[in-house]
Amino acid sequence: AKAEFDTRICYYEREMDEHARQRRAMAHDLWVALEKDAFDLVYQVQKSVSTGEVTGYEVLLRWDRPGHGLVSPTDFIPLAEETGSIGPIGAWVLKTACLEAASWPEPYKIAVNVSGLQLAQLELVDLVRMVLFQSGLEPERLELEVTETAIIADKKRALYVLRQIKAMGVSIAIDDFGTGYSSLDTLRSFPFDKIKLDRSFMVEVETNEQSKAIIRAILALGRSLSVPVLAEGVETHAQLDVLRDEGCNEAQGFLLGRPGNIDWADLLDPPLSA
Ligand code: C2E
Ligand code: CA
Ligand code: CA
Ligand code: CA
């Protein structure tokens, strides 16, 4: 039994080593990607539920890792946070997004994701100021998306940083709303400009009365606080119909548009509807 136990421990350790090795390799490749400017940005449209008009675009990071193909940000962002590259990666995203948006033919808003680690650093205030100055982007066209988890980590610091940024004219959205454990407390602590309802709430919304009741309650909360609500992860017409009936302000999801490059030709010359 002792021998069997030792073999199993040994196997377990080898697996741990392999896992750690792969993470180290990915962390290293992230730094290389930064150096080589190998990241890309894609944009996902956000629309008004009542009029269908474009209200803005969320900026999403893409990494085509040599030898591995596209790696999901849900896999590499946490690693970048643990290994320190999130600072420069986040700065690259902000700078590149503002520069690109400043040259768009239409002055749409962009919503940029900000990680908890960035939020805990005072440098973020200077970074936003510098990037707006360098790109010439109007501050009103920039929105930062922050999660409540990111705020809770160091709440005092995070709210201080957000206040400074908001004072520049940049707006702040609370991302993945409803998935954290103190959503209401977070809402009370800061004057957010938008609530982004997590996409888990869209599941079964057209068939499940419970889900619909929760969405209705959050929309009522948004209305009483005068904060518009955007529903994430809208994939079906049935979901969009519910959102319209319940008075949701904006929506984002595969139904309205996949993340990608913006097709200006289509936007500027909309095909005549029959
Ligand atoms: P998120 O901020 O909640 O972004 C929305 C994610 O949902 C995106 O995944 C988007 O492609 C996906 N999505 C959009 N519509 C639908 C839909 O209808 N159905 C489903 N199932 N999914 C939909 P993506 O691009 O893989 O990003 C995942 C997460 O990675 C983001 O979640 C965000 O937390 C993080 N992330 C992405 N880009 C950045 C960035 O530049 N900086 C930071 N700090 N985090 C980022
Ligand atoms: Ca987001
Ligand atoms: Ca989200
Ligand atoms: Ca086209």
Side-chain angles (χ1 to χ4, degrees):
K2 170 81 166 69
E4 192 193 320
F5 178 76
D6 284 349
T7 321
R8 223 183 293 151
I9 287 289
C10 197
Y11 179 71
Y12 178 69
E13 281 179 346
R14 233 183 303 134
E15 250 186 13
M16 289 290 285
D17 282 353
E18 177 56 18
H19 183 68
R21 199 192 57 75
Q22 281 176 10
R23 286 173 57 80
R24 268 200 306 277
M26 196 198 266
H28 170 261
D29 287 359
L30 280 169
W31 286 105
V32 174
L34 259 171
E35 224 163 79
K36 296 195 168 165
D37 205 21
F39 291 109
D40 282 304
L41 297 181
V42 289
Y43 296 87
Q44 187 178 30
V45 74
Q46 303 178 326
K47 288 182 176 174
S48 155
V49 170
S50 56
T51 68
E53 271 173 308
V54 175
T55 52
Y57 285 89
E58 178 172 4
V59 179
L60 294 161
L61 183 58
R62 290 293 176 265
W63 180 32
D64 190 353
R65 186 181 175 200
H68 296 261
L70 271 185
V71 187
S72 166
T74 36
D75 291 330
F76 70 80
I77 294 281
L79 184 66
E81 286 182 332
E82 281 169 48
T83 56
S85 50
I86 191 66
I89 291 175
W92 181 89
V93 170
L94 199 62
K95 187 177 156 200
T96 309
C98 290
L99 278 171
E100 289 188 1
S103 71
W104 285 355
E106 291 287 314
Y108 291 122
K109 272 182 86 157
I110 51 167
V112 177
N113 291 287
V114 169
S115 96
L117 225 82
Q118 286 178 280
L119 208 54
Q121 291 168 348
L122 299 175
E123 292 101 89
L124 185 64
V125 179
D126 291 328
L127 176 69
V128 171
R129 191 178 290 116
M130 192 183 75
V131 158
L132 286 174
F133 177 75
Q134 287 179 345
S135 65
L137 189 82
E138 294 83 0
E140 293 70 28
R141 289 183 56 198
L142 178 62
E143 183 160 84
L144 299 188
E145 295 193 359
V146 300
T147 63
E148 37 185 322
T149 331
I151 294 168
I152 289 159
D154 185 346
K155 193 165 174 177
K156 250 180 112 178
R157 171 76 60 92
L159 295 182
Y160 175 79
V161 165
L162 289 179
R163 246 174 246 124
Q164 304 273 308
I165 293 172
K166 198 172 151 86
M168 295 175 207
V170 172
S171 57
I172 312 288
I174 180 160
D175 203 358
D176 304 340
F177 184 80
T179 56
Y181 48 83
S182 70
S183 306
L184 299 182
D185 184 51
T186 313
L187 263 191
R188 196 179 45 181
S189 321
F190 188 81
F192 289 97
D193 301 286
K194 187 180 290 180
I195 294 171
K196 292 194 77 180
L197 185 59
D198 190 72
R199 69 178 152 90
S200 56
F201 291 101
M202 281 309 111
V203 179
E204 294 188 334
V205 75
E206 62 274 40
T207 50
N208 185 328
E209 279 303 316
Q210 306 276 86
S211 310
K212 205 188 278 187
I214 291 173
I215 290 190
R216 193 175 294 144
I218 295 176
L219 290 172
L221 181 68
R223 271 193 292 275
S224 56
L225 293 173
S226 302
V227 184
V229 177
L230 178 149
E232 297 190 277
V234 179
E235 297 180 351
T236 67
H237 285 286
Q239 289 170 335
L240 192 60
D241 287 345
V242 171
L243 294 172
R244 194 176 291 117
D245 289 347
E246 301 297 338
C248 185
N249 307 85
E250 291 174 40
Q252 181 182 343
F254 295 161
L255 177 71
L256 304 149
R258 298 220 164 224
N261 298 315
I262 303 176
D263 196 335
W264 293 109
D266 280 356
L267 274 172
L268 300 179
D269 288 317
L272 293 172
S273 46

